[in-house]
Amino acid sequence: QSTRVHRGTLLQGARDALGDFWAFDSKVFRSFLPLLFQPGFLTVEYLAGKRARYISPVRLYVFVTLIFFWLATPILDIQGISFTFAETSSEGVTKEQAVLALQSLVEALPNFLVLGIPLISVLLYVMHRKPKHLLYDHLIFSLHNHAFFFVFAFLLGVLPDWLAGAIAVPVPLVYMVLAMKRVYRRSWAQSVVKSLVLGLSYPLVVLGALVGAASMALSESGIELP
């Protein structure tokens, strides 16, 4: 084996770096439109082995959630909400503790939301008992759908209140039915029923995540529950 080390020029290094960047960038754009307007398409393509053109489900989910929390944090107006909470809470809670509690909640929530994906995947596994679908398949389905819901949740935050209120429920439900139909190839009736079951179960998962995140946030801020 040759011991010579090939050292490229600075221009070649820059070209390679830009090539990697544009490859990632193009995959994001090729994945983003199907994610929004073709429910279940990315899952079907990924499970069929057509993965080179699209960003992986995990990277897509991480990319979307990072962008969501980065853009959504200013909208939350953490200190304003915290001060209001402090003024209406018990006398033993200071404004500084309230700020720290809410900041800890925002920081801890993504970690708890990650736990919700395997739980939803297990629920999907129970709902689709045929052996052709592995738990791994449901995990990919969950990652893609969670990525869409994060994008949709951000859009709700920037749309007018009347429009956000009008589409907050029907759009995710229709999206889930279409995705379920495309991926699992069940009848329309089965897809609707299973989407409703999943939609009714999901708030329980989110509630558990919120309770866990809130408990951790209060503990880290030094606020003891009575």
Side-chain angles (χ1 to χ4, degrees):
Q1 181 178 357
S2 173
T3 58
R4 295 182 59 186
V5 178
H6 175 73
R7 292 183 173 86
T9 64
L10 181 61
L11 181 60
Q12 289 174 329
R15 186 184 299 116
D16 292 340
L18 289 175
D20 292 340
F21 171 78
W22 287 117
F24 175 80
D25 187 63
S26 62
K27 284 187 177 183
V28 169
F29 281 107
R30 281 199 298 264
S31 303
F32 201 70
L33 290 180
L35 176 71
L36 294 181
F37 302 110
Q38 294 179 270
F41 174 82
L42 291 178
T43 302
V44 171
E45 291 288 284
Y46 188 86
L47 296 180
K50 302 175 182 179
R51 307 174 183 179
R53 288 178 51 84
Y54 311 104
I55 186 173
S56 72
V58 174
R59 294 182 70 185
L60 177 62
Y61 174 77
V62 171
F63 176 78
V64 169
T65 52
L66 287 177
I67 295 297
F68 171 80
F69 282 102
W70 177 59
L71 294 176
T73 299
I75 298 176
L76 291 176
D77 190 10
I78 292 177
Q79 291 194 352
I81 297 175
S82 300
F83 289 157
T84 302
F85 166 74
E87 292 170 358
T88 58
S89 59
S90 62
E91 296 180 356
V93 178
T94 65
K95 292 182 178 180
E96 291 75 13
Q97 286 178 320
V99 172
L100 182 58
L102 191 58
Q103 288 176 338
S104 299
L105 175 60
V106 173
E107 293 173 358
L109 186 56
N111 297 327
F112 283 95
L113 289 176
V114 170
L115 298 178
I117 295 177
L119 293 176
I120 294 298
S121 302
V122 171
L123 179 59
L124 286 167
Y125 182 79
V126 174
M127 293 168 59
H128 301 85
R129 297 183 179 180
K130 288 189 177 182
K132 62 179 292 187
H133 294 295
L134 304 176
L135 184 60
Y136 176 80
D137 302 343
H138 304 304
L139 182 63
I140 300 303
F141 180 82
S142 297
L143 286 168
H144 283 142
N145 280 275
H146 276 77
F148 166 79
F149 292 143
F150 271 113
V151 175
F152 182 68
F154 175 75
L155 292 177
L156 288 180
V158 298
L159 290 175
D161 291 342
W162 65 269
L163 181 57
I167 67 174
V169 175
V171 169
L173 180 59
V174 171
Y175 187 94
M176 180 60 68
V177 171
L178 294 177
M180 195 86 72
K181 174 66 176 175
R182 172 172 277 165
V183 173
Y184 297 107
R185 299 182 180 180
R186 302 297 198 269
S187 67
W188 282 108
Q190 288 179 314
S191 300
V192 170
V193 170
K194 292 183 178 183
S195 296
L196 289 173
V197 171
L198 192 65
L200 293 173
S201 303
Y202 192 76
L204 299 177
V205 176
V206 174
L207 179 61
L210 288 173
V211 170
S215 299
M216 175 176 289
L218 292 174
S219 176
E220 291 181 354
S221 60
I223 301 175
E224 296 183 0
L225 295 175

